[in-house]
Amino acid sequence: MNIILLGPPGAGKGTQAQRLVEGHGMRQLSTGDMLRAAVKAGTPVGLQAKAVMERGELVSDGIVSALIGEELDAMGADTGAIFDGYPRTAAQAESLDAILAERGRKLEHVIELDVDEDALVERITGRFTCAGCGKGYHDKFEQPRLAGTCDKCGGTEFKRRPDDNEETVRTRLAEYRAKTAPILPIYEERGIVSRVNGMADIDDVTRAIERILRS
Ligand code: ADP
Ligand code: AMP
């Protein structure tokens, strides 16, 4: 199964993707994670992307689509893919069609996480992840069960993203509205879009997504 999780920054895409990975053995393909890894490693892609990401603007379509193709080639043909943060433009949506077709994959669901924009700044500025395993948390909405210790791997180091500040969030939201939200009709025409209330509790959102995957 191949699915897209669509929604503005902070909608809960990464949180839900991590749960689907654990529960269904699917693979999360987050272009944001791939780009952050490239920045950290200092690769040519990372050097090109760093400043763009710090501003909250979009990295070029060619770069992210190439990353997605490489990741798909590195995983088993039978492993399901969860696209998280990709596609973000009409050109990326078109590339994804070609990338999937070339690999004999079919897009089954586009799940839109519907959220109240006013909630997003709080979600994003409170977000942190385990430095060891990458599990996501929130200062208020999803704290580790034991303070300072990761539920998943027991790690005690956590990190915050440099672009998770209010000013950059505003730019990221504007980019979403201008370039990403307009791609929804492409998938609506195909009858594969489902909407989920992303303002519900994290567990309830997961349950709603699982119902869609079973349908
Ligand atoms: P995205 O990947 O869409 O940018 P995340 O999954 O990283 O968003 O979620 C952003 C922050 O909001 C995280 O800190 C996460 O713990 C928290 N969060 C995710 N889903 C919910 C929810 N349904 N209710 C409250 N907080 C949430
Ligand atoms: P994310 O982790 O999805 O919030 O993405 C963080 C940043 O990486 C974005 O603000 C963009 O600068 C860049 N990025 C991630 N995915 C894409 C994409 N599909 N297209 C363009 N830029 C992206």
Side-chain angles (χ1 to χ4, degrees):
M1 185 171 283
N2 301 284
I3 67 168
I4 294 174
L5 294 180
L6 199 73
K13 303 180 296 292
T15 302
Q16 297 302 329
Q18 286 187 347
R19 287 167 167 232
L20 294 176
V21 166
E22 279 179 20
H24 296 265
M26 297 173 80
R27 177 82 177 268
Q28 175 186 11
L29 286 92
S30 157
T31 39
D33 285 349
M34 294 171 204
L35 289 167
R36 280 184 287 281
V39 169
K40 194 171 172 200
T43 65
V45 163
L47 294 176
Q48 243 182 295
K50 188 170 186 283
V52 180
M53 293 172 76
E54 279 167 3
R55 288 196 300 271
E57 294 167 7
L58 293 186
V59 172
S60 78
D61 293 330
I63 287 183
V64 289
S65 293
L67 290 172
I68 285 286
E70 283 163 23
E71 284 280 316
L72 277 174
D73 288 338
M75 60 193 252
D78 297 334
T79 305
I82 307 160
F83 297 99
D84 161 10
Y86 178 91
R88 261 172 151 105
T89 63
Q92 291 179 25
E94 211 174 292
S95 295
L96 180 60
D97 282 343
I99 288 168
L100 291 175
E102 279 161 16
R103 290 159 180 83
R105 286 177 177 266
K106 182 171 169 269
L107 189 60
E108 272 92 3
H109 296 283
V110 175
I111 300 177
E112 186 197 2
L113 296 175
D114 195 12
V115 283
D116 178 352
E117 276 197 10
D118 296 342
L120 297 179
V121 170
E122 185 184 19
R123 280 207 191 167
I124 290 182
T125 52
R127 164 162 69 186
F128 63 98
T129 53
C130 171
C133 71
K135 167 146 181 38
Y137 293 98
H138 191 279
D139 291 327
K140 189 163 147 193
F141 305 123
E142 197 186 8
Q143 297 165 340
R145 282 192 288 273
L146 180 64
T149 305
C150 176
D151 298 348
K152 190 171 164 200
C153 75
T156 53
E157 258 185 67
F158 296 88
K159 57 182 184 183
R160 289 178 194 264
R161 284 168 46 176
D163 59 341
D164 277 352
N165 58 74
E166 189 162 345
E167 194 193 332
T168 309
V169 172
R170 303 264 171 225
T171 308
R172 286 156 65 195
L173 262 174
E175 289 280 69
Y176 179 81
R177 271 189 235 118
K179 297 173 184 162
T180 309
I183 69 177
L184 254 176
I186 299 174
Y187 298 115
E188 271 162 353
E189 269 174 30
R190 297 182 200 172
I192 57 171
V193 176
S194 304
R195 268 191 189 81
V196 165
N197 174 17
M199 295 310 294
D201 282 351
I202 296 177
D203 287 344
D204 291 333
V205 178
T206 306
R207 277 191 280 273
I209 293 175
E210 301 214 311
R211 272 198 296 278
I212 293 163
L213 299 190
R214 282 196 300 270
S215 68

